[in-house]
Amino acid sequence: MPLQSRDYRLGASGVTSNLVRGTSAAPAPGPRQVLIQVGAASLNYRDLLTVMDISSSRKDLIPMSDGAGTIVALGAGASRWQEGDRVSPNFFPDWTGGAFSLSYLAKALGGGTTDGVLSDYIVADEDSLVRVPDHLTLAEAATLPCAGLTAWHALFERGGLKPGATVLVQGTGGVAMFGLQLASAHGARVIVTSSSDEKLERAKALGAWKTINYAVSPEWDVEVLTLTEGRGADHILELGGPNTYDRSIRAVAAGGRIAQIGVLSGFTSQPNISPLQYKNATIDGICVGSREHFENLNAFMTAHQIKPVLDQRFGFEEVPEAFRILKGAGHFGKLVIEFN
């Protein structure tokens, strides 16, 4: 009898309550593919956008890009892995290394026309996978492919982060907390912004150098300059979008870098970028990363024994509730679905 695979697929109306749960036969791996039993998946803001606006995705699409699991079967010619290996698929299956190509966008997992990981069993090309670090559970590893890799790409692969540099992260979501953990482990000074004192205290416990409550100090760019004696932040993870961009430009240091990542307040950022010229500062557009970047991230996390910050865990039957919590944006770190 063939393996049965539970999954969630997009319904027709673009609301989280219309995620349709079903069961079907598990797919069979093709040449140089493997069959993965997914153990856990994690939620990103992009998943909410996909579910809420299915006009840009096909009906019946399996959503979510970030997961980790165990290889249970090999396709013909597959040689990079063995049954029993714990792996994660890369967000861009075709981006194994080198320069980015726009052609990779079409195959990004869990969006457009490419099925994601919200299924008991998935197939993946063997070259698109990375090994799960030994010190992480599958639930922890499932948080890395998008949020962890995005922070790593921004700060290390593109940013060239150096010990002693000052890093500003906005909020306490997944990318922000990975930015805090990775930068702190590398000896950087990290400033975290949030509207919650309770979350800022938790950020301090994770290694934040300074914190700013932007509900109390809405001119947080001024606070950044004060904390850094007028210099500003060497690296900024710009996660907010239109509502934060101008302040990020004012807060960035001369020669500093702004990593453009987030769209939490919309997609229509039109900041005044003239100050960047006089600061010799840079904006880096960051869209996740390559398999090679992912392998570098995992090596760093292993060397420093970093464990991701998990806010809440949900069972497979609780996926709609997990999306509801994601939409509420009150979480600290990552929301994870555990399949078993």
Side-chain angles (χ1 to χ4, degrees):
M1 181 176 178
L3 290 170
Q4 294 297 297
S5 183
R6 300 170 300 168
D7 60 39
Y8 283 89
R9 297 176 183 267
L10 298 190
S13 70
V15 295
T16 57
S17 60
N18 264 14
L19 276 170
V20 179
R21 181 177 169 180
T23 303
S24 60
R32 298 199 65 203
Q33 291 186 325
V34 301
L35 178 65
I36 301 168
Q37 183 176 12
V38 181
S42 74
L43 285 155
N44 296 293
Y45 186 63
R46 180 243 194 184
D47 301 318
L48 183 63
L49 297 177
T50 298
V51 171
M52 295 298 290
D53 180 19
I54 65 168
S55 62
S56 61
S57 299
R58 76 166 202 269
K59 185 176 181 294
D60 294 329
L61 179 86
I62 297 173
M64 296 182 60
S65 61
D66 288 17
T70 304
I71 293 176
V72 293
L74 305 176
S79 59
R80 291 189 72 234
W81 306 100
Q82 297 179 351
E83 292 183 18
D85 286 343
R86 301 191 311 152
V87 295
S88 284
N90 197 43
F91 181 93
F92 292 116
D94 291 344
W95 192 13
T96 57
F100 183 71
S101 167
L102 289 176
S103 66
Y104 300 152
L105 290 169
K107 290 189 178 180
L109 296 182
T113 62
T114 303
D115 283 334
V117 301
L118 197 50
S119 177
D120 280 323
Y121 294 93
I122 62 172
V123 294
D125 292 340
E126 65 171 354
D127 288 337
S128 71
L129 304 173
V130 300
R131 189 177 304 278
V132 168
D134 290 340
H135 74 289
L136 298 183
T137 66
L138 291 179
E140 291 166 337
T143 68
L144 299 178
C146 185
L149 185 52
T150 296
W152 172 264
H153 184 191
L155 292 172
F156 291 84
E157 303 290 347
R158 293 278 287 284
L161 180 67
K162 293 180 172 55
T166 301
V167 176
L168 172 70
V169 301
Q170 298 171 350
T172 55
V175 176
M177 291 301 92
F178 274 114
L180 167 59
Q181 291 180 284
L182 296 171
S184 294
H186 196 58
R189 308 186 307 176
V190 183
I191 303 171
V192 178
T193 68
S194 172
S195 61
S196 166
D197 284 336
E198 186 270 335
K199 289 182 178 179
L200 291 175
E201 286 301 314
R202 294 174 69 181
K204 288 179 183 177
L206 288 170
W209 172 60
K210 300 290 183 181
T211 61
I212 301 171
N213 186 323
Y214 59 79
V216 176
S217 302
E219 294 184 345
W220 53 262
D221 50 318
V222 176
E223 289 292 314
V224 171
L225 292 171
T226 299
L227 291 171
T228 58
E229 299 179 337
R231 172 172 170 76
D234 301 297
H235 298 263
I236 297 178
L237 298 188
E238 171 45 60
L239 299 166
N243 292 351
T244 55
Y245 222 121
D246 282 313
R247 294 194 185 280
S248 290
I249 289 174
R250 290 193 288 270
V252 71
R257 307 179 81 99
I258 297 173
Q260 181 179 332
I261 298 168
V263 293
L264 295 178
S265 62
F267 292 86
T268 57
S269 291
Q270 295 180 322
N272 175 18
I273 64 173
S274 295
L276 295 177
Q277 176 181 350
Y278 302 107
K279 290 184 173 184
N280 282 302
T282 302
I283 294 176
D284 292 323
I286 302 294
C287 190
V288 200
S290 70
R291 190 198 77 193
E292 184 178 280
H293 294 158
F294 200 166
E295 291 167 340
N296 293 340
L297 164 65
N298 282 348
F300 184 90
M301 293 193 66
T302 298
H304 294 275
Q305 292 292 287
I306 297 171
K307 284 183 168 284
V309 180
L310 305 187
D311 184 275
Q312 294 185 57
R313 303 169 187 248
F314 301 87
F316 195 82
E317 69 283 356
E318 298 174 306
V319 165
E321 173 65 7
F323 270 89
R324 188 188 69 79
I325 298 297
L326 176 67
K327 186 177 181 181
H331 53 287
F332 182 93
K334 297 294 292 180
L335 305 174
V336 175
I337 310 298
E338 294 185 294
F339 284 40
N340 297 317

